[in-house]
Amino acid sequence: QGTRYEFQQAPVYAEKNWGGAFPERWFWIQANAFEAVADLTVTAAGGLRQVLGRSETVGIVGLHFQNRFIALNSLKDSMRWRVDSWGSWYVVVQNHQYKIHLKGIAESHPATVRVPTLTGLQFQCWDTTHGCLEVEVWERSRHSDSLLIKAKTSLAGLEVGGDGWETPWQWSRKI
């Protein structure tokens, strides 16, 4: 929007100016400090975005552990979520090989964050870096599923943003 910000000797977080491509509504989950699983990193996000003039809901869950990377997304895998306006995130995604459950809880009040919008930076994001996150990863087979990872942390990044957070957001897509 033509405004330039200059900082000296200050920690800064820079965000790309997404303009019209920035999601209208989103949630985000990130954690990499788990109590029992030292090498686990989890990132998940869901968003309502505009693509070629059409509204589209998409989501992704990515996990890295034991030199493995698992990435499941709503465009090719079954996925569902229920995210409250603040305080509760529940995501399940699965394909023929894996099933992942994420349950996030934020007990403290959120920090309010400015995010890019078509009219410039606006306070439309609420997040914490002290959320509780429980993760379960199941390896699937024709005969039975086996629990691969069960971990939790109280240092998860949990976020909601954009328009429409007056009510919980439920979404599902079965493939």
Side-chain angles (χ1 to χ4, degrees), residues 130-147:
H130 291 85
C132 296
L133 180 65
E134 296 177 9
V135 178
E136 289 185 1
V137 180
W138 298 82
E139 198 157 27
R140 304 182 76 202
S141 72
R142 276 190 284 176
H143 305 293
S144 67
D145 296 349
S146 59
L147 184 62

Side-chain angles (χ1 to χ4, degrees), residues 30-49:
Q30 198 286 323
N32 59 11
F34 290 89
E35 296 167 11
V37 184
D39 64 346
L40 174 62
T41 298
V42 176
T43 303
L48 175 61
R49 65 183 183 180

Side-chain angles (χ1 to χ4, degrees), residues 4-124:
R4 181 183 176 110
Y5 299 92
E6 292 188 28
F7 299 91
Q8 294 179 359
Q9 298 180 350
V12 174
Y13 170 79
E15 180 77 57
K16 175 186 174 208
N17 183 355
W18 293 72
F22 201 80
E24 296 172 36
R25 184 180 193 182
W26 70 90
F27 72 85
W28 175 76
I29 298 169
Q30 198 286 323
N32 59 11
F34 290 89
E35 296 167 11
V37 184
D39 64 346
L40 174 62
T41 298
V42 176
T43 303
L48 175 61
R49 65 183 183 180
Q50 291 291 319
V51 177
L52 301 173
R54 290 187 13 229
S55 190
E56 167 181 69
T57 301
V58 292
I60 189 167
V61 175
L63 289 105
H64 190 229
F65 69 102
Q66 298 174 353
N67 294 320
R68 279 198 230 187
F69 179 64
I70 300 170
L72 304 179
N73 71 72
S74 63
L75 298 177
K76 62 180 184 165
D77 304 307
S78 295
M79 187 170 197
R80 72 179 190 273
W81 64 68
R82 178 187 164 95
V83 179
D84 288 343
S85 55
W86 183 252
S88 179
W89 292 251
Y90 183 69
V91 179
V92 177
V93 60
Q94 67 182 7
N95 64 12
H96 67 284
Q97 195 173 5
Y98 298 102
K99 182 183 214 180
I100 301 170
H101 289 241
L102 303 175
K103 182 180 178 186
I105 301 289
E107 294 180 355
S108 62
H109 290 287
T112 306
V113 180
R114 288 180 189 237
V115 293
T117 70
L118 290 173
T119 59
L121 292 173
Q122 302 292 326
F123 287 106
Q124 288 191 350

